[in-house]
Amino acid sequence: MTIDAPLIGRIGRMGRAQRAHPVRSEAQDTGYGPGLRRLGSWFGPLLATLLLTGLAGCDSGTSPRDGIAKAEVGRVPAHPQRPGDPARGYEAFVNRSIVTCGIPYGVYRRLREGGPTETHQPVPGRTGRNAELPYGLTAHVAASGVELVTSNCLACHAAPINGRLVIGLGNEFLDLTVDPLLGIEAAGAIAMNEAERAEWTRWADRITAISDYMMTDTIGVNSASNLTLALMAHRDPKTLAWSNRPLIEPPPEKPLPVSVPPLWNVGKKHAMFYNAEGRGDHVRYMMLASTTCTDSVEEAAAIDAWFVDVRAYFTTLKPPEYPFPIDPGLAERGYALFQETCKECHGTHGEEARYPNKVIALGKVKTDPMLARKGFGEADRFLRWFQSSFYGELSQAAPALGYIAPPLDGVWATAPYLHNGSVPTIAALLDSRQRPTYWEFDRAGDDQPAYDRDRLGWAYRSLDHGKAGAMGWDERNRLYDTGLSGYGNQGHTFGDDLSDPERTALIEYLKTL
Amino acid sequence: MKIWIRAIVAIGVPVLVGILWLRVLEAPERVENPSLESLIGEVGTGFAPLDDDWRLNPPQDHGAHPETRGELWNLALWLEDTSGARHWIQFNLARLALSPAPVERASGWATNHLYRGQLVRLSDGDRTTRAQERLSRAALGLAGASVEPPRVWLEDWSFESAADPDRLMVKVRGGETQLDLILTQDKPALAGDRLQLFARERGDPGVHAYLLSRLSVTGTLGVDGRILPVRGSAWLDHAWGGIGADQGRLGLNRFAVQLDDGRDLICLEIRRQDGSGRPIPSCALIHADGAIQSFQRRDLALEATRSWTSPRTGRTYRLDWRLAIPLLDLELALRPLVEDQETDRSARLWSGAIRASGRQGERPISGVGRVELAIAPDQP
């Protein structure tokens, strides 16, 4: 992922957010500021992009035709993944640039001048220049010799919870509503030498080309899949050469909302993305969202060589433990309810853990169908692009007309829920009558909301109007409007028949996962 | 970030005319008449930063803030005389401080401030604008500002707060166009950051700014020796701080419209001067009750449908703009009253009167406005 313009414009605010919410790294108690979530916001989405689109593996459930495949709902078969070294993967994950264009470092420093002092803490293992940068940014020296500040995966795939930075937790507060063009021009207004200007121009042109596909209508939801499709549209699939003009029809400019799933489930899942289209080798799917400036097969192959290790590192991630007290007796009753109500789709946990990797048909889960329908019926040109590119060499993308029931490891930490983040708490997920039609996080400014231990999720406010009733764009962007296309909170009503005590017990059990 | 970009992006209040004027004050070689070379010494730097905790405080803030580097008062007037003839007037004052720590000098000519004024009129039947200009040191009483009452004057031109804090007075004497006007606030003053143009919050204290988007006007207009009673409306922008220093690689177009239904519309558009990149517009609608509705680039479409080349400077400007805000089902066409309103040739600026017409839903809407165009000449 690349450093995008909006990052620049938000540098000051990032710093403040960091001060407001000092957090500690899950991996090391050195305490990090979450601040970078604003700066890195665009780079991170690249990985998340993959979540949405889906490409499927060569399994019996798929039916390739004309070079592309669609999958049946039901079980997703396993596919062997290339082995990697998790330790090397971590080192690369926190230090190497998968996005190779960005803001010249000198410009970055100038933009920071006069802003709040950065108080972020380093992610363990960040070395050299990276040790001084917020965790959502990575230093990279371009072929021109210009040192760049680039985006990385952590802006989307790390977030604080209970004062600790959790690598792998989807960032549900990322603000992708900010216009990247403002940051581009803010950076461009800084004096630069010729080489720096050339690097800025390269980065600015790329981000400008995809900016509309990145911007969401709502803070917190992610546009990574749409961004990935836009990048595909601008590249020759054979050579990966960039074209300023799209070579195939780009995706719609309004991204469908997606909640970023946790990375600690990577090892359990046979397919990537909500519609389980990411079948076969997973590594190149993961890279694909970060190809802002990967302009040749050689460059892509070089990244692939070390991203195998990164994926291996992802498989070692564990969910954070619930940090508050749990009632063991209540949780035990909840376990029994879970076995009756949830395990068929979501699997079991503990010593006899079993995850079924099952795609549930739209007609059964009945959650907002837009993402699955678009991926199944309106994305063939992207499936074809993928299969004919370096990225599809080891995979067979195959979207299904449904959504995969995710593993529930650490589910308490991953609010809001459903693939589009439309349901703010698990309590509301288990009782559709509690789901707010219009809501926003209950927080001051960009602070993280309080965690609701009873309902499991971030504190929120129900509102009496949707986006059409909001006055300012800031208010509009903070408001989740389930009446919008793709933002619906319907379906998954499997908990509606539980009694309130049963629901309370089930919630208690979910805290233990 | 360039200072003037901060003023626009972080604060959001348009001060385009004044910014360009102050550039001229700092670049005397660009001023053809009169010359500033004899007036300007070395323009100093090192002005103290503005107060982060500033809160708009009218009427005191209508006056000057002499501790700051530069200051702008831009007033647009739409007047109608008793015969029904319409007159569009811009009245602009700019102040520039030469040093943050002026040396005490005994000479009566000693000064730390320069003032520039411009009056532009376009009346029914005119095919181009008529402009008057004043330039003076703040010395020997020729120009200056007072705090109580809040007042700014430039020879026999003045802008001041009346005893009634909701009223302002404008007096212009000594030229072919004369004004003696009382302006009454129909809406309260709005600090620029409340408009949420581009920025979510005040990001930089480099500039303080506010606007009065709608004032009722009564008084007299002197035209070629005739004194005409007039009524109408006005829009005031006032900004002060570190403005005026930068020659940016970005340009700005600005649109201010008073709609007949009581709402006021302000839009800004940032573009690169070299024509590359993509324009970034942002708009805010100020309702009759003062409520503000703001819109980002993705919420609206703002595009020019025609260009015009100045026969004097050869510079090309985009004219005839179309604005659409789908959330409101609003569409407006913004067309100049006449093409030739390149009012400040030294600053290369098209700043002129426009008429707005369009619809919101099925309801027709119309209005009057001022558009300032400072983007490089490329084709729409």
Side-chain angles (χ1 to χ4, degrees), chain A residues 330-448:
Chain A
L330 191 59
E332 184 66 23
R333 292 199 292 280
Y335 168 76
L337 288 162
F338 185 91
Q339 297 297 99
E340 295 171 13
T341 312
C342 312
K343 87 167 182 185
E344 180 187 340
C345 296
H346 292 288
T348 57
H349 300 77
E351 292 181 359
E352 298 179 0
R354 181 189 61 85
Y355 174 59
N357 270 291
K358 189 182 289 184
V359 176
I360 312 302
L362 289 179
K364 181 176 182 183
V365 70
K366 295 179 179 172
T367 50
D368 191 293
M370 195 61 67
L371 187 69
R373 284 182 181 163
K374 295 278 186 187
F376 192 85
E378 300 179 24
D380 285 3
R381 62 191 183 281
F382 301 111
L383 298 174
R384 201 167 286 117
W385 186 100
F386 176 80
Q387 291 308 151
S388 59
S389 76
F390 166 82
Y391 297 101
E393 286 177 351
L394 306 176
S395 305
Q396 176 65 62
L401 199 50
Y403 297 115
I404 195 153
L408 298 185
D409 307 65
V411 67
W412 66 269
T414 61
Y417 299 98
L418 295 183
H419 71 271
N420 55 7
S422 60
V423 179
T425 65
I426 285 184
L429 188 69
L430 295 176
D431 184 353
S432 64
R433 293 154 296 199
Q434 292 186 38
R435 298 177 191 174
T437 303
Y438 311 117
W439 60 278
E440 63 181 9
F441 288 119
D442 186 4
R443 56 177 175 163
D446 293 333
D447 292 355
Q448 196 171 48

Side-chain angles (χ1 to χ4, degrees), chain B residues 196-210:
Chain B
Q196 288 194 0
L197 289 169
F198 302 116
R200 175 172 287 127
E201 60 197 69
R202 178 182 300 166
D204 189 286
V207 174
H208 291 165
Y210 68 89

Side-chain angles (χ1 to χ4, degrees), chain B residues 90-143:
Chain B
Q90 295 181 59
F91 177 55
N92 303 318
L93 294 172
R95 175 190 61 78
L96 181 69
L98 302 179
S99 167
V103 177
E104 291 287 336
R105 288 187 290 168
S107 168
W109 287 97
T111 182
N112 190 44
H113 296 278
L114 299 178
Y115 282 83
R116 187 187 186 201
Q118 186 190 47
L119 184 78
V120 179
R121 177 171 61 85
L122 180 72
S123 295
D124 274 351
D126 289 344
R127 301 186 66 175
T128 186
T129 52
R130 306 158 194 251
Q132 300 166 231
E133 191 167 308
R134 295 286 171 91
L135 180 67
S136 182
R137 297 172 177 230
L140 298 176
L142 293 174

Side-chain angles (χ1 to χ4, degrees), chain A residues 121-341:
Chain A
Q121 309 143 11
V123 164
R126 293 264 282 179
T127 56
R129 180 75 79 195
N130 291 324
E132 76 176 60
L133 293 173
Y135 63 76
L137 300 176
T138 298
H140 173 71
V141 178
S144 63
V146 175
E147 184 179 14
L148 304 175
V149 177
T150 72
S151 59
N152 62 34
C153 308
L154 288 166
C156 291
H157 292 288
I161 193 163
N162 196 36
R164 301 175 72 88
L165 181 71
V166 180
I167 293 178
L169 175 62
N171 185 353
E172 302 292 345
F173 302 99
L174 193 61
D175 186 356
L176 295 175
T177 70
V178 175
D179 192 342
L181 301 187
L182 288 171
I184 287 172
E185 302 307 340
I190 301 289
M192 304 176 214
N193 62 35
E194 192 174 336
E196 289 174 326
R197 180 64 68 185
E199 293 293 343
W200 171 83
T201 300
R202 180 173 188 241
W203 167 75
D205 288 351
R206 296 294 167 88
I207 300 299
T208 297
I210 59 176
S211 60
D212 284 349
Y213 308 100
M214 301 160 66
M215 286 181 70
T216 63
D217 290 333
T218 304
I219 294 173
V221 302
N222 204 285
S223 59
S225 66
N226 211 53
L227 169 61
T228 299
L229 300 182
L231 290 169
M232 288 179 175
H234 280 271
R235 286 196 188 285
D236 181 301
K238 297 294 185 190
T239 66
L240 302 183
W242 176 262
S243 165
N244 282 328
R245 300 182 63 178
L247 302 172
I248 56 175
E249 182 187 345
E253 287 190 352
K254 280 192 179 290
L256 290 170
V258 171
S259 172
V260 181
L263 291 177
W264 55 73
N265 286 329
V266 161
K268 282 191 170 184
K269 293 163 76 171
H270 293 169
M272 295 185 62
F273 315 123
Y274 285 110
N275 63 351
E277 71 179 291
R279 306 183 185 207
D281 178 79
H282 290 177
V283 171
R284 294 183 187 177
Y285 289 113
M286 293 176 174
M287 292 166 50
L288 193 56
S290 302
T291 57
T292 311
C293 292
T294 308
D295 293 351
S296 69
V297 174
E298 291 72 24
E299 291 174 71
I303 294 171
D304 178 67
W306 58 268
F307 225 79
V308 172
D309 295 328
V310 173
R311 185 197 172 275
Y313 160 67
F314 290 161
T315 63
T316 68
L317 289 169
K318 303 293 181 194
E321 289 189 8
Y322 186 74
F324 309 111
I326 297 174
D327 180 334
L330 191 59
E332 184 66 23
R333 292 199 292 280
Y335 168 76
L337 288 162
F338 185 91
Q339 297 297 99
E340 295 171 13
T341 312

Side-chain angles (χ1 to χ4, degrees), chain A residues 13 16 175 177 179 181 185 188-189 197 200 208 211-212 215 253 471-474 476-478, chain B residues 1-2 196 198-201 249-250 272 278 280 287 291-299 327:
Chain A
R13 300 180 61 207
R16 193 178 54 208
D175 186 356
T177 70
D179 192 342
L181 301 187
E185 302 307 340
R197 180 64 68 185
W200 171 83
T208 297
S211 60
D212 284 349
M215 286 181 70
E253 287 190 352
M471 293 297 282
W473 54 262
D474 185 32
R476 204 155 45 237
N477 292 348
R478 292 177 186 277
Chain B
M1 194 184 301
K2 293 288 185 181
Q196 288 194 0
F198 302 116
R200 175 172 287 127
E201 60 197 69
R249 60 194 302 278
L250 300 179
R272 291 185 207 161
R278 293 176 60 184
I280 313 172
H287 288 252
I292 300 166
Q293 208 166 6
S294 54
F295 304 92
Q296 289 178 290
R297 175 176 65 90
R298 296 240 299 175
D299 300 327
L327 276 171

Side-chain angles (χ1 to χ4, degrees), chain B residues 61 64 74 97 151 171 225 245 272 280 297 304:
Chain B
D61 276 336
N74 295 345
R151 180 170 187 262
K171 289 186 173 65
R272 291 185 207 161
I280 313 172
R297 175 176 65 90

